[in-house]
Structures are given as structure tokens and as C-alpha cells.
């Protein structure tokens, strides 16, 4: 079955420290992975997708098919990064739906 | 562009009642997906509408139904409400699936339903 796992419900780091939010997926085909973010009192929005291989707000994520992971990383955390982060999978044969992880709440301490 | 708009933002119902939630997609989008998000959980896919038809459905009972209008707006209806239906209901719009931006969803702020 297709599944996305975010093992950490809560991650707390100090400002300036590196951040890594973990995401593992279960899918036998060729996946498309996304990170969505929800800042306080804002709507859920796309942060980045693996196919674009871009860095958004200093965040990067690399798809590791061998480890079936798509971890989100940032070398130096900023207070404005505090938010809820969701990893999502577009299983290309799943016909139009995204499979979501439960989310990780990231808190950046000053 | 107002983006995706949903109404109402909050509502309270009692068990057994019926509820209708509404969504207007982002300008230029013709596909609407509905998600249920329980407290502390990620969004769960309910169904997606395209060209006024339900294109795919998640693992939700028939009590959950929907509709899409010619102007691409959509409604989510839930009949015979249960306590477990209490959640945030999110609407998301997108360009047609299969194109370059497949998987990029634009979300509304949600409708928070409380069933007593």
C-alpha cells in the first residue's frame, strides 16, 4: 500500500542550527514527492517538489529511491521557519490523489 | 485573485444532521479536491471533481458526496453526521492532472465542522 511516514510529530531546534525533517514513503513505482508547509494562521501551501530540484527559503530535499526517503533540510534554521510541515506522495498510478504524512511541527527556538 | 475560498469557516451540527460545504477554486483552475483533516493528522483525500464529475474517490463512505458546477465551484455534502466527522475540511484546486503542475494544490483555509 502507498504510505508516507513522518516519524517526528515535533522537532525543536535552536535558531542557526541545521534542520532535517524526515519523510519516508512506501511505493513500488516511480513516485513524485512534495513538501507542503502551513505557517501559523495561514493556509497549507506547497514548499517544494522533488522534480524541480530547487531550493525554497533555504530548504532542499533530495529523493533517495534506495532508502525511499525525501528528507527536508536546511543548514541554518530561522525563527520564521516555525510551522507545520507535511510530506506528500503522488503515486503516479493512484489517479489524482496525494498521499499525506501526518506532519511534523517544527519549532525554532531563539 | 482571491485564491481558493471556502464557506462557512466554522459550523456546529448535531449527530444525524446534514451539512453542505462550499468551495470556489483559484482563478484558472478547473479541478477541485476535498480533504478531511482530523486534529493532529495529515489531510485525507475524500474525492476530486473535474468537468463536473467525480474523478476519483478516497476511502470515505457514501454519506460523503459532492458536486461541481459549470463555473468549477464545488460543494461537499455529508449526510447523517457522526461525531467522528468533526474535522477541518479542506478544498484544494489545481490545473488538470497530468500536466506540468500536477500535484501542486492550492488550498483554502478550510471549514471547521464540529458535530455534537
Amino acid at each position: 500500500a502507498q504510505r508516507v511516514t513522518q516519524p517526528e510529530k515535533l522537532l525543536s531546534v535552536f535558531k542557526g542550527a541545521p534542520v532535517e525533517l524526515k519523510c519516508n514513503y512506501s511505493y513500488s513505482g516511480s513516485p513524485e514527492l512534495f513538501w507542503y508547509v502551513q505557517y501559523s494562521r495561514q493556509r497549507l501551501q506547497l514548499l517544494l517538489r522533488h522534480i524541480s530540484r530547487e531550493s525554497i527559503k533555504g530548504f532542499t530535499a533530495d529523493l533517495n529511491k534506495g532508502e525511499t526517503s525525501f528528507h527536508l533540510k536546511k543548514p541554518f534554521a530561522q525563527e520564521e521557519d516555525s510551522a507545520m510541515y507535511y510530506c506528500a506522495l503522488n503515486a503516479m498510478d493512484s489517479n489524482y490523489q496525494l498521499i499525506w504524512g501526518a506532519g511534523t511541527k517544527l519549532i525554532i527556538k531563539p | 485573485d482571491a485564491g481558493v475560498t471556502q464557506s462557512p469557516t466554522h459550523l456546529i451540527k448535531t449527530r444525524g444532521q446534514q451539512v453542505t460545504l462550499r468551495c470556489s477554486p483559484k482563478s484558472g483552475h478547473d479541478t477541485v479536491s476535498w480533504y478531511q483533516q482530523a486534529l493532529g493528522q495529515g489531510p485525507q483525500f475524500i474525492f476530486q471533481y473535474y468537468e463536473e464529475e467525480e474523478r476519483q474517490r478516497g476511502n470515505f463512505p457514501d454519506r460523503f458526496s459532492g458536486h461541481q458546477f459549470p463555473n468549477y465551484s464545488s460543494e461537499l455534502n455529508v449526510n447523517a453526521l457522526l461525531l467522528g466527522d468533526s474535522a477541518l475540511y479542506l478544498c484544494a484546486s489545481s490545473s488538470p492532472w497530468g500536466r506540468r503542475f500536477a500535484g501542486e494544490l492550492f488550498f483554502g483555509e478550510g471549514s471547521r465542522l464540529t458535530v455534537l
Side-chain angles (χ1 to χ4, degrees):
Chain A
Q2 299 144 6
R3 185 164 57 243
V4 174
T5 303
Q6 294 179 251
E8 303 137 331
K9 278 192 172 294
L10 175 65
L11 182 63
S12 181
V13 302
F14 284 102
K15 177 182 173 181
V19 172
E20 182 178 50
L21 290 88
K22 291 184 168 54
C23 172
N24 290 91
Y25 66 90
S26 173
Y27 177 56
S28 58
S30 182
E32 199 171 47
L33 276 299
F34 304 83
W35 277 99
Y36 278 78
V37 61
Q38 186 168 29
Y39 300 103
S40 179
R41 298 187 185 86
Q42 295 187 26
R43 60 189 68 192
L44 198 54
Q45 59 187 289
L46 178 67
L47 179 61
L48 55 79
R49 71 194 89 181
H50 91 270
I51 58 172
S52 59
R53 302 185 66 81
E54 56 191 347
S55 173
I56 303 294
K57 298 185 178 182
F59 284 98
T60 60
D62 290 318
L63 177 61
N64 186 324
K65 291 186 178 180
E67 296 184 357
T68 60
S69 69
F70 187 56
H71 302 329
L72 184 68
K73 300 177 183 179
K74 184 170 183 176
F76 307 103
Q78 299 174 318
E79 289 186 65
E80 55 265 33
D81 296 329
S82 294
M84 195 75 187
Y85 291 80
Y86 294 94
C87 181
L89 162 71
N90 177 17
M92 301 306 287
D93 60 357
S94 72
N95 297 328
Y96 318 119
Q97 66 169 295
L98 290 182
I99 312 298
W100 296 76
T104 297
K105 184 172 184 177
L106 176 63
I107 296 175
I108 307 302
K109 296 178 286 188
Chain B
D1 179 14
V4 179
T5 57
Q6 292 187 243
S7 63
T9 54
H10 295 83
L11 67 167
I12 300 173
K13 294 285 187 178
T14 56
R15 281 180 295 175
Q17 285 190 312
Q18 178 264 344
V19 68
T20 297
L21 308 178
R22 296 177 176 81
C23 171
S24 291
K26 179 179 170 63
S27 178
H29 286 179
D30 55 8
T31 302
V32 173
S33 302
W34 286 92
Y35 288 84
Q36 181 194 66
Q37 186 175 23
L39 205 59
Q41 300 294 320
Q44 298 291 317
F45 177 75
I46 303 175
F47 41 53
Q48 185 183 87
Y49 275 84
Y50 172 66
E51 292 189 342
E52 301 181 49
E53 290 192 358
E54 182 183 292
R55 183 153 66 171
Q56 180 160 12
R57 188 179 186 89
N59 189 25
F60 278 79
D62 292 345
R63 298 186 297 109
F64 289 77
S65 64
H67 189 78
Q68 186 178 35
F69 300 93
N71 66 352
Y72 308 123
S73 66
S74 178
E75 287 182 350
L76 164 65
N77 300 291
V78 187
N79 295 321
L81 285 167
L82 304 173
L83 295 179
D85 295 331
S86 294
L88 181 67
Y89 289 85
L90 295 170
C91 171
S93 71
S94 58
S95 298
W97 213 262
R99 293 190 185 175
R100 182 171 176 239
F101 296 108
E104 181 174 8
L105 299 174
F106 289 78
F107 284 87
E109 294 183 331
S111 294
R112 184 162 298 282
L113 171 65
T114 301
V115 182
L116 302 176

